[in-house]
């Protein structure tokens, strides 16, 4: 059974532990009693219809959104109003956005080196060496001195991944990283993400790429109306999901 | 022509058509793209368009024609030529002029380098500038070499002109000239013979010739009225009431003899002598009796200084009108300074300044045998009848004006070009190939910090009276110097303050944000002139010790505080235009709030707001003219000051027209540079990226 798999993955101390997390946008109850643990090196794919709260959920993990009740622990640190805790957690979490959000006034290399130098206090040389290494890893070493506006969408998203990795995070959050891309560019980004997953990075990925979920995920979580409706291994999820809402969703997208 | 190959017909009957590889290129029909087509399409497309075109062209044309007529034919520009220094630097200490020069050159260098770094200047720009500057040298030379000297008309004789209380010609007039210049005199026969001709007298004229001209013009007017009334009475179409009124009117008008006859204009020979002022001896060839108009006298003047033109007519009833060339009006100016170069004794010195080109002499004015100073040619506006011709306009105003500014323009252009070239060379040798303007950008950033500070220190001074760079008297700052100081201090002060206010207003801390909002709304709700008055009048009330704080500095503070409020709103607009994702991405990377602002949002926002910010600064540049109202002598204040001096009474239009043109040219240059930066340099880069 799938349950055993999850328990196996959770046998380590969880690196992300969410307990009864609730969030409201005004009167709208967007996250309802979310309880999830993520183990180190686990790849979690979050799927669900628009407005189901999946993006809000991962944005709560690095405090881009504030949760109003419940507890989120990341790497043993509790996320609250303490700015020092937030800063410490953000240092350990990389995030990749749907719209890339590269800094348009800085070159690719500057985009990547900025945070390590300013936040981690690295020397310029060290940061640049790291940037070079990461650009090779994401397959675009020749673009280092271009501005983001001169790159294709797929290249920009790979730069965004490299930028997040430059901080040497323990966890990577992906918020629909391929949704703004042309179809022929999706693959190049997914390939980078697969490579990252294989290298043992802890990842939470919000995506509509079911192929990716099936191939890479350790666990798939299905969100609907702010709740976790069902979760399990990809095999379980895509072949024997139980909940009618999950079945309906899968029948619509597959 | 395109040929169509029918490859095959499919069973459904639809044809598959493959055209030739290359269709021949043809030109579009001329009537569709030529200039005529353009005119038809853009100017006369519909009846409404045609009417609009004609009406607008008519309005623009008539305004333009009357403006040019006034500029060339009637305007009296000597107030500008004469007062260039006052208009540029006010009463700034002449011994500290070199400091202003250095600051101007540093600024030119900085602007040159800024253009290299941000605006992609090309050789063609330098060539256009070079041609323009060269023209400012060539045009005066050509004008002086080819155009005749403008005339100055003087009357000779002892008869009273116009009436018994009318002016009598002076028997001598003193003038100043430069060695090598020539003066020629002849009988002005173009004005004798009829009153019609006499009334055409124009250009510079002494008061007696003016009197004669006015008398002729008045008589012509009276004659015309008499003729009109006589015609009306003869026509028999008037009511009795109208008739009696017309008769009464007619009886008041006197028929008089032509002025040319009563004054016997040019009917006797005139004895003309030109004397050297220092010796009161007639010059060789300078003593002639002019009997008829074809005869003229031309004298070359041997030295700089005073000369006297004497003219005698034997017949006491005759007035002779003389046309002289090479004599210009003079202004007497009294200045206070050391009596000579070595003396520290301060005294009052009379300077005589030729109005047209500011040639100045301090030599004593010649006296007659009775020891009375000779009258000299003063021209006030009622003695000036407009230039006789376009040629006179060029000679009197254009050439001297260009000669006053061309050296300055040349030096500034050379230094500016040098700045541009240095910037480009820096880039060629030191910038990495991938970021071709990195070095000049870094250099210009430093210059933009250093030059204003250095410039302010140079102009204001550093030490007390006797040290290096003595402190100058801010009350003597004026003209363009003060306008520019206000503008540059305003920009440098209001930009950072505006940014802080914008960030403050967006702050999450209610106290900070409310305070900034109140400040911004308050300052934007008060007219600038009110802020200036408050700065001038309220500061001493707040703290009496500040009463001696110079007015120029108070105006600068007012400018900074006022403009900052507007800049804040512009910067806030820019910050709001930055997508929220930028802030989130930066935060997600672990940057703290200050770092996010400093490295991510603010730099992008500032680039976005270059155009409106430049608009603010151009607006501020023009608004500095309001300091004239609180008594500072900036360009506008100085213009007001000049036209209230007796020598320049009545020259308001010319003076204010000149400063208007000056303000326009400067604003336009700032706007043009900022447009160029937007379209080619930093602005273009950001547009491409966002």
């Amino acid at each position: 059974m799938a349950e055993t798999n999850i328990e196996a993955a959770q046998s380590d101390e969880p690196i992300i532990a969410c307990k009864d997390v609730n969030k409201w946008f005004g009167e709208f109850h967007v996250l309802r009693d979310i309880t999830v643990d993520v183990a180190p090196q686990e790849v979690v794919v979050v799927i669900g219809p628009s407005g189901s709260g999946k993006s809000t959920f991962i944005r709560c993990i690095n405090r881009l959104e504030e949760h109003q009740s419940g507890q989120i622990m990341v790497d043993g640190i509790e996320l609250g109003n303490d700015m020092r805790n937030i800063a410490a957690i953000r240092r350990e979490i990389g995030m990749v956005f749907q719209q890339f959000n590269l800094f348009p006034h800085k070159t690719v290399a500057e985009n990547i080196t900025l945070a390590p130098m300013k936040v981690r206090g690295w020397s310029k040389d060290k940061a640049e060496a790291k940037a070079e290494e990461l650009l090779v890893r994401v397959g675009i070493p020749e673009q280092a001195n271009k501005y983001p506006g001169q790159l294709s969408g797929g290249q920009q998203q790979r730069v965004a991944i490299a930028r997040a990795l430059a901080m040497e995070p323990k966890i990577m959050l992906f918020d629909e990283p391929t949704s703004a891309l042309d179809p022929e560019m999706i693959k190049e980004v997914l390939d980078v993400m697969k490579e990252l997953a294989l290298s043992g990075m802890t990842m939470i990925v919000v995506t509509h790429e079911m192929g990716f979920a099936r191939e890479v995920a350790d666990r798939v979580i299905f969100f609907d109306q702010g709740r976790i409706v069902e979760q399990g291994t990809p095999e379980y999820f895509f072949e024997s999901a139980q909940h009618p809402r999950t079945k309906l969703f899968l029948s619509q997208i597959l | 022509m395109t040929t169509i190959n029918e490859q095959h017909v499919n069973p459904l009957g639809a044809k598959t058509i493959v055209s030739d590889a290359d269709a021949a290129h043809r030109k579009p029909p001329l009537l569709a793209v030529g200039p005529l087509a353009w005119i038809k399409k853009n100017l006369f497309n519909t009846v409404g368009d045609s009417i609009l075109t004609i009406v607008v062209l008519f309005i623009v044309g008539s305004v333009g024609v009357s403006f040019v007529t006034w500029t060339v034919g009637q305007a009296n520009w000597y107030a500008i030529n004469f007062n260039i220094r006052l208009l540029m630097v006010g009463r700034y200490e002449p011994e500290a002029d070199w400091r202003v020069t250095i600051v101007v050159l540093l600024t030119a260098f900085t602007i040159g380098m800024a253009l290299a770094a941000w605006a992609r200047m090309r050789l063609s720009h330098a060539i256009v500038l070079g041609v323009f500057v060269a023209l400012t040298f060539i045009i005066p030379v050509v004008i002086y070499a080819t155009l005749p000297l403008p005339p100055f008309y003087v009357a000779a004789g002892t008869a009273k002109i116009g009436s018994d209380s009318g002016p009598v010609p002076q028997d001598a007039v003193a003038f100043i000239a430069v060695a090598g210049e020539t003066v020629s005199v002849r009988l002005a026969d173009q004005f004798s013979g009829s009153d019609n001709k006499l009334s055409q007298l124009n250009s510079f004229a002494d008061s007696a010739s003016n009197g004669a001209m006015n008398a002729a013009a008045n008589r012509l007017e009276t004659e015309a009225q008499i003729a009109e009334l006589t015609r009306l009475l003869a026509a028999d179409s008037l009511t009795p009431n109208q008739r009696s009124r017309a008769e009464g009117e007619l009886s008041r008008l006197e028929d008089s003899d032509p002025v040319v006859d009563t004054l016997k204009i040019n009917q006797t020979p005139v004895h003309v002598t030109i004397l050297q002022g220092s010796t009161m001896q007639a010059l060789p060839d300078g003593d002639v009796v002019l009997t008829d108009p074809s005869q003229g006298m031309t004298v070359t003047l041997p030295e700089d200084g005073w000369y006297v033109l004497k003219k005698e007519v034997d017949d006491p009833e005759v007035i002779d009108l003389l046309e002289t060339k090479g004599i210009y009006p003079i202004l007497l100016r009294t200045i206070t300074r050391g009596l000579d170069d070595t003396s520290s004794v301060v005294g009052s010195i009379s300077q005589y300044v030729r109005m047209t080109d500011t040639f100045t002499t301090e030599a004593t004015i010649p006296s007659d045998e009775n020891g009375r100073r000779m009258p000299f040619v003063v021209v006030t506006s009622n003695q000036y009848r407009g230039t006789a011709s376009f040629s006179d306009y060029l000679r009197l105003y254009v050439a001297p004006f260009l000669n006053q500014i061309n050296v300055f323009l040349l030096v500034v252009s050379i230094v500016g070009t040098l700045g541009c070239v240095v910037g480009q060379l820096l880039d060629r040798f030191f910038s990495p190939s991938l970021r071709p303007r990195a070095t000049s950008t870094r250099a210009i950033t430093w210059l933009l910090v250093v030059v204003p500070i250095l410039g302010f220190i140079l102009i204001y001074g550093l030490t007390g009276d006797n040290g290096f760079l003595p402190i100058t008297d801010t009350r003597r700052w004026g003209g363009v110097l003060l306008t520019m100081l206000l503008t540059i201090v305003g920009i440098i002060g209001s930009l950072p303050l505006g940014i802080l206010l914008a960030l403050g207003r967006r702050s999450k801390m209610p106290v900070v944000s409310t305070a900034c909002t109140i400040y911004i709304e308050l300052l934007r709700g008060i007219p600038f002139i009110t802020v200036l008055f408050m700065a001038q009048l309220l500061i001493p009330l707040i703290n009496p010790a500040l009463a001696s704080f110079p007015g120029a500095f108070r105006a600068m503070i007012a400018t900074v505080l006022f403009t900052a409020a507007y800049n804040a709103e512009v910067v806030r607009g820019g910050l709001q235009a930055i997508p929220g994702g930028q802030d989130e991405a930066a935060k997600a990377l672990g940057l703290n709030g200050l770092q996010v602002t400093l490295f991510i949002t603010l730099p992008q926002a500032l680039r976005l707001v270059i155009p409106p910010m430049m608009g603010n600064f151009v607006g501020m540049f023009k608004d500095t003219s309001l300091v004239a109202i609180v008594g500072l002598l900036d360009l506008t204040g100085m213009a007001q000051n000049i036209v209230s001096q007796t020598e320049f009474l009545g020259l308001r239009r010319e003076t204010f027209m000149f400063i208007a043109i000056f303000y326009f040219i400067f604003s336009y240059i700032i706007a043009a540079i900022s447009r160029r930066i937007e379209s080619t340099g930093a602005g273009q880069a950001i547009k491409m990226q966002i």
Side-chain angles (χ1 to χ4, degrees):
Chain A
M1 280 299 286
E3 291 295 324
T4 52
N5 247 346
I6 293 170
E7 271 158 21
Q10 286 172 344
S11 59
D12 297 320
E13 186 73 14
I15 193 163
I16 300 172
C18 301
K19 193 163 183 292
D20 295 330
V21 173
N22 277 283
K23 175 167 180 63
W24 291 262
F25 284 132
E27 291 292 304
F28 180 58
H29 199 171
V30 61
L31 293 181
R32 308 181 187 194
D33 300 329
I34 303 295
T35 302
V36 178
D37 288 349
V38 178
Q41 307 205 341
E42 190 181 4
V43 176
V44 176
V45 168
V46 181
I47 60 173
S50 308
S52 60
K54 54 193 193 302
S55 281
T56 309
F57 166 63
I58 69 164
R59 288 160 63 83
C60 280
I61 293 172
N62 68 351
R63 195 69 171 188
L64 287 182
E65 302 286 357
E66 198 175 318
H67 59 282
Q68 275 114 25
S69 77
Q71 190 188 42
I72 299 177
M73 300 273 289
V74 179
D75 201 19
I77 305 169
E78 172 159 13
L79 207 47
N81 281 324
D82 189 335
M83 276 315 292
R84 278 167 303 178
N85 282 359
I86 294 173
I89 287 172
R90 281 178 179 165
R91 275 200 289 272
E92 305 305 332
I93 302 180
M95 186 157 184
V96 175
F97 299 85
Q98 181 179 352
Q99 298 296 340
F100 327 140
N101 294 347
L102 293 178
F103 308 132
H105 61 305
K106 296 195 172 292
T107 63
V108 166
E110 287 167 344
N111 262 279
I112 298 173
T113 55
L114 179 75
M117 285 162 67
K118 301 296 174 197
V119 181
R120 291 242 189 259
W122 291 5
S123 72
K124 195 166 187 236
D125 288 344
K126 184 178 176 192
E128 278 174 352
K130 181 76 183 175
E132 208 172 315
E133 173 203 319
L134 285 169
L135 284 173
V136 171
R137 190 168 167 193
V138 301
I140 41 174
E142 70 285 354
Q143 313 286 12
N145 288 296
K146 286 196 180 157
Y147 284 91
Q150 297 166 299
L151 304 182
S152 73
Q155 289 172 328
Q156 289 195 45
Q157 194 61 296
R158 285 189 277 163
V159 172
I161 295 172
R163 179 177 69 176
L165 289 175
M167 285 292 286
E168 300 186 335
K170 294 179 179 160
I171 302 159
M172 286 284 284
L173 307 176
F174 291 84
D175 188 3
E176 304 201 26
T178 56
S179 298
L181 294 176
D182 291 342
E184 69 258 42
M185 289 169 184
I186 291 175
K187 185 174 174 299
E188 64 190 49
V189 173
L190 290 180
D191 286 346
V192 170
M193 288 166 64
K194 275 178 207 161
E195 185 269 333
L196 196 57
L198 290 175
S199 73
M201 176 66 74
T202 310
M203 292 164 60
I204 303 183
V205 184
V206 174
T207 186
H208 297 296
E209 295 296 325
M210 295 306 151
F212 177 83
R214 217 186 266 270
E215 195 180 335
V216 182
D218 295 317
R219 177 161 44 135
V220 177
I221 299 179
F222 178 65
F223 263 69
D224 188 47
Q225 295 184 340
R227 284 193 191 84
I228 295 178
V229 173
E230 194 157 12
Q231 54 180 313
T233 61
E235 301 78 40
Y236 162 80
F237 190 84
F238 288 110
E239 267 125 53
S240 46
Q242 302 296 313
H243 197 281
R245 186 68 192 88
T246 317
K247 287 181 183 165
L248 177 65
F249 180 76
L250 289 172
S251 72
Q252 278 164 345
I253 61 164
L254 286 178
Chain B
M1 287 293 288
T2 306
T3 50
I4 295 171
N5 298 332
E6 289 184 21
Q7 296 284 324
H8 64 275
V9 177
N10 73 20
L12 292 169
K15 291 170 183 168
T16 302
I17 302 167
V18 178
S19 70
D20 268 6
D22 275 315
H25 285 285
R26 281 169 299 164
K27 288 198 166 144
L30 192 62
L31 273 178
V33 295
L36 280 177
W38 187 91
I39 288 171
K40 167 85 177 74
K41 191 175 159 195
N42 293 288
L43 299 180
F44 301 101
N45 208 17
T46 63
V47 176
D49 285 2
S50 309
I51 293 172
L52 210 56
T53 300
I54 290 165
V55 168
V56 171
L57 283 181
F58 176 76
I59 293 172
V60 171
S62 53
V63 170
V65 165
S66 52
F67 176 72
V68 171
T69 314
W70 174 78
T71 303
V72 173
Q74 288 145 28
N76 205 340
W77 297 100
Y78 70 77
I80 311 303
N81 282 354
F82 184 79
N83 289 306
I84 284 279
R85 187 189 156 84
L86 275 182
L87 289 169
M88 290 303 128
V89 295
R91 301 190 168 85
Y92 195 72
E93 285 92 334
E95 53 272 28
D97 272 355
W98 62 272
R99 303 198 212 161
V100 179
T101 312
I102 289 182
V103 173
V104 168
L105 296 184
L106 279 174
T107 311
F109 188 86
T110 309
I111 291 173
M113 191 177 277
L115 291 175
W118 295 333
R120 320 258 155 103
M121 301 313 283
R122 299 204 182 83
L123 189 59
S124 58
H125 297 113
I127 291 172
V128 170
L129 181 66
V131 168
F132 176 74
V133 174
L135 282 179
T136 63
F137 282 91
I138 295 166
I139 289 174
V141 172
V142 171
I143 288 173
Y144 283 135
T146 58
L147 297 180
L149 290 164
F152 167 65
Y153 299 104
V154 285
T158 49
K160 282 200 158 57
I161 290 167
S163 65
D164 286 346
S165 59
V168 181
Q170 289 154 332
D171 54 3
V173 60
F175 62 95
I176 55 177
V178 179
E181 286 183 345
T182 59
V183 169
S184 62
V185 185
R186 67 175 194 91
L187 277 170
D189 72 314
Q190 66 267 43
F191 305 125
S192 55
S194 79
D195 278 5
N196 247 329
K197 290 182 180 172
L198 183 53
S199 68
Q200 303 295 313
L201 190 131
N202 51 24
S203 191
F204 294 108
D206 69 357
S207 52
S209 344
N210 257 298
M213 196 282 301
N214 285 332
N218 289 343
R219 181 183 160 271
L220 287 175
E221 200 179 315
T222 312
E223 295 287 310
Q225 278 176 345
I226 290 172
E228 172 69 9
L229 287 169
T230 316
R231 191 186 60 78
L232 277 175
L233 289 170
D236 212 23
S237 62
L238 300 176
T239 63
N241 211 349
Q242 286 172 325
R243 175 170 293 272
S244 70
R245 248 192 294 153
E247 278 166 349
E249 191 89 354
L250 187 58
S251 66
R252 283 199 301 107
L253 297 170
E254 283 174 38
D255 204 0
S256 55
D257 292 330
V259 176
V260 284
D261 294 339
T262 47
L263 291 178
K264 298 184 178 164
I265 298 283
N266 289 3
Q267 288 179 7
T268 318
V270 56
H271 179 200
V272 178
T273 327
I274 292 180
L275 310 167
Q276 195 164 335
S278 50
T279 58
M280 289 305 270
Q281 298 298 311
L283 293 170
D285 312 325
D287 191 347
V288 180
V289 177
L290 298 174
T291 49
D292 73 277
S294 62
Q295 185 194 3
M297 175 182 82
T298 302
V299 190
T300 304
L301 306 173
E303 59 171 32
D304 289 5
W306 282 103
Y307 295 89
V308 176
L309 171 71
K310 278 187 132 171
K311 63 261 188 194
E312 288 167 62
V313 178
D314 290 337
D315 189 330
E317 291 183 349
V318 172
I319 293 290
D320 277 350
L321 284 179
L322 297 171
E323 179 185 278
T324 72
K325 290 190 168 180
I327 296 178
Y328 304 99
I330 299 166
L331 272 180
L332 171 59
R333 168 161 80 182
T334 307
I335 61 160
T336 308
R337 62 130 213 258
L339 287 173
D340 59 58
D341 288 347
T342 53
S343 154
S344 59
V345 181
V346 172
S348 210
I349 291 166
S350 295
Q351 287 185 329
Y352 295 89
V353 187
R354 196 150 70 167
M355 274 183 173
T356 48
D357 61 354
T358 68
F359 164 64
T360 306
T361 183
E362 290 178 9
T364 321
I365 187 167
S367 308
D368 62 12
E369 18 332 332
N370 303 325
R372 283 184 302 131
R373 288 173 170 186
M374 292 276 177
F376 58 88
V377 189
V378 209
V379 169
T380 52
S381 53
N382 63 349
Q383 284 173 295
Y384 178 70
R385 320 229 56 93
T387 42
S389 64
F390 185 57
S391 143
D392 285 358
Y393 165 72
L394 293 177
R395 252 205 100 111
L396 277 175
Y397 304 125
V398 174
F401 179 74
L402 291 179
N403 270 341
Q404 287 202 61
I405 63 166
N406 54 14
V407 175
F408 176 80
L409 278 185
L410 177 71
V411 176
V412 166
S413 308
I414 289 177
V415 174
T417 313
L418 192 71
C420 194
V421 170
V422 168
Q424 287 174 344
L425 287 179
L426 281 179
D427 283 336
R428 176 170 302 174
F429 292 114
F430 299 111
S431 288
S433 61
L434 285 159
R435 311 189 56 195
R437 262 165 290 277
T439 314
S440 62
T441 307
R442 180 159 299 178
I444 192 63
T445 313
W446 279 107
L447 279 181
L448 282 178
V449 174
V450 172
V451 168
I453 296 171
L454 195 64
F456 193 83
I457 291 173
L458 272 168
I459 287 175
Y460 179 58
L462 201 57
T463 55
D465 280 344
N466 297 316
F468 178 65
L469 289 182
I471 286 175
T472 54
D473 183 353
T474 55
R475 283 166 303 180
R476 297 176 70 112
W477 292 1
V480 175
L481 174 70
L482 182 56
T483 296
M484 287 298 160
L485 279 171
L486 286 168
T487 306
I488 291 172
V489 170
I491 290 175
I492 290 171
S494 69
L495 185 58
L497 187 57
I499 291 171
L500 286 180
L501 284 168
L503 294 175
R505 190 169 182 174
R506 280 169 64 90
S507 163
K508 288 197 197 78
M509 295 163 70
V511 176
V512 174
S513 121
T514 311
C516 291
T517 308
I518 289 175
Y519 176 89
I520 291 168
E521 294 307 329
L522 203 61
L523 266 284
R524 294 204 319 154
I526 302 177
F528 182 43
I529 187 67
T530 314
V531 179
L532 281 172
F533 273 121
M534 292 203 286
Q536 299 291 334
L537 305 174
L538 293 187
I539 285 177
L541 282 185
I542 295 164
N543 183 350
L546 290 173
S548 63
F549 196 57
F553 289 171
R554 288 183 209 177
M556 283 173 189
I557 292 171
T559 312
V560 167
L561 295 181
F562 184 76
T563 314
Y566 285 84
N567 285 349
E569 286 302 272
V570 167
V571 173
R572 194 166 69 98
L575 286 168
Q576 270 166 356
I578 304 300
Q582 291 291 311
D583 182 71
E584 287 180 354
K587 276 188 193 156
L589 282 168
L591 298 175
N592 63 36
L594 182 65
Q595 288 170 326
V596 173
T597 304
L598 224 51
F599 301 123
I600 307 301
T601 45
L602 194 56
Q604 294 185 56
L606 288 182
R607 280 175 216 207
L608 272 182
V609 299
I610 290 174
M613 191 68 93
M614 281 298 186
N616 268 2
F617 290 148
V618 169
M620 186 188 70
F621 165 65
K622 292 181 293 182
D623 282 351
T624 58
S625 56
L626 288 169
V627 302
I629 297 176
V630 293
L632 293 181
L633 295 174
D634 76 317
L635 186 56
T636 307
M638 193 52 86
Q640 271 183 331
N641 195 288
I642 286 169
V643 295
S644 60
Q645 294 169 24
T646 45
E647 299 94 324
F648 305 108
L649 279 178
L651 299 181
R652 261 172 195 282
R653 275 175 301 184
E654 290 84 351
T655 313
F656 283 105
M657 181 61 72
F658 173 78
I659 67 163
I661 292 169
F662 184 91
Y663 278 114
F664 168 74
I665 290 177
F666 242 89
S667 306
Y668 188 81
I669 289 175
I670 299 176
I673 289 179
S674 83
R675 266 201 303 275
R676 186 152 179 88
I677 291 177
E678 269 164 56
S679 65
T680 59
Q684 179 66 12
I686 194 81
K687 247 181 239 161
M688 195 177 65
Q689 290 151 27
I690 285 185

